[in-house]
Amino acid sequence: HQSHYDDDGNKGTNRQTYLSKGYVTPIDVLSIEEARILRGKYEEWVTSVRQQSPASSTTSDGSPIGDLRFKPHLHLPFINDVAVRNESLLSVVKEVLGTSNILLWSS
């Protein structure tokens, strides 16, 4: 179990923090550079969606809508790497839930 300091500076496990507060923060999942890279990939994807069918798949500001926004981990490998395969995130989720048997339903 990972030690964690909650918002009040108390040391405990992520599970204890979750059970008492209902959330765990912060969880270091990505470096700043990894976040920049993922943001760039996301923006490239949004641009490609706009170019392929702007009227039916984006809002007036160009943001993806409909099925393209739901469960992106199923069709965007870079989202899958973070949401489904990132061990930093998964280890905290497993600890909080008290099981290694987890399934991502939506992202």
Side-chain angles (χ1 to χ4, degrees):
H1 299 286
Q2 297 177 3
S3 291
H4 178 78
Y5 290 91
D6 67 15
D7 294 337
D8 300 323
N10 300 315
K11 187 174 181 181
T13 66
N14 289 321
R15 182 168 173 77
Q16 291 168 332
T17 301
Y18 177 76
L19 292 174
S20 67
K21 301 270 189 179
Y23 63 91
V24 176
T25 184
I27 302 171
D28 293 326
V29 176
L30 301 171
S31 69
I32 292 171
E33 184 58 26
E34 289 170 321
R36 270 192 205 113
I37 291 169
L38 286 172
R39 177 63 187 219
K41 289 179 180 182
Y42 173 77
E43 288 174 359
E44 288 172 15
W45 173 72
V46 169
T47 298
S48 73
V49 168
R50 280 187 211 140
Q51 292 170 347
Q52 291 172 13
S53 54
S56 62
S57 58
T58 61
T59 62
S60 60
D61 71 354
S63 300
I65 60 171
D67 291 344
L68 294 175
R69 287 189 352 189
F70 300 102
K71 299 186 181 184
H73 69 282
L74 297 176
H75 58 91
L76 298 172
F78 61 93
I79 299 293
N80 186 287
D81 290 343
V82 174
V84 180
R85 303 184 191 289
N86 184 292
E87 199 51 48
S88 297
L89 178 59
L90 293 177
S91 65
V92 174
V93 171
K94 290 174 186 178
E95 179 187 351
V96 164
L97 296 178
T99 182
S100 62
N101 187 12
I102 58 175
L103 173 70
L104 178 64
W105 178 256
S106 189
S107 58

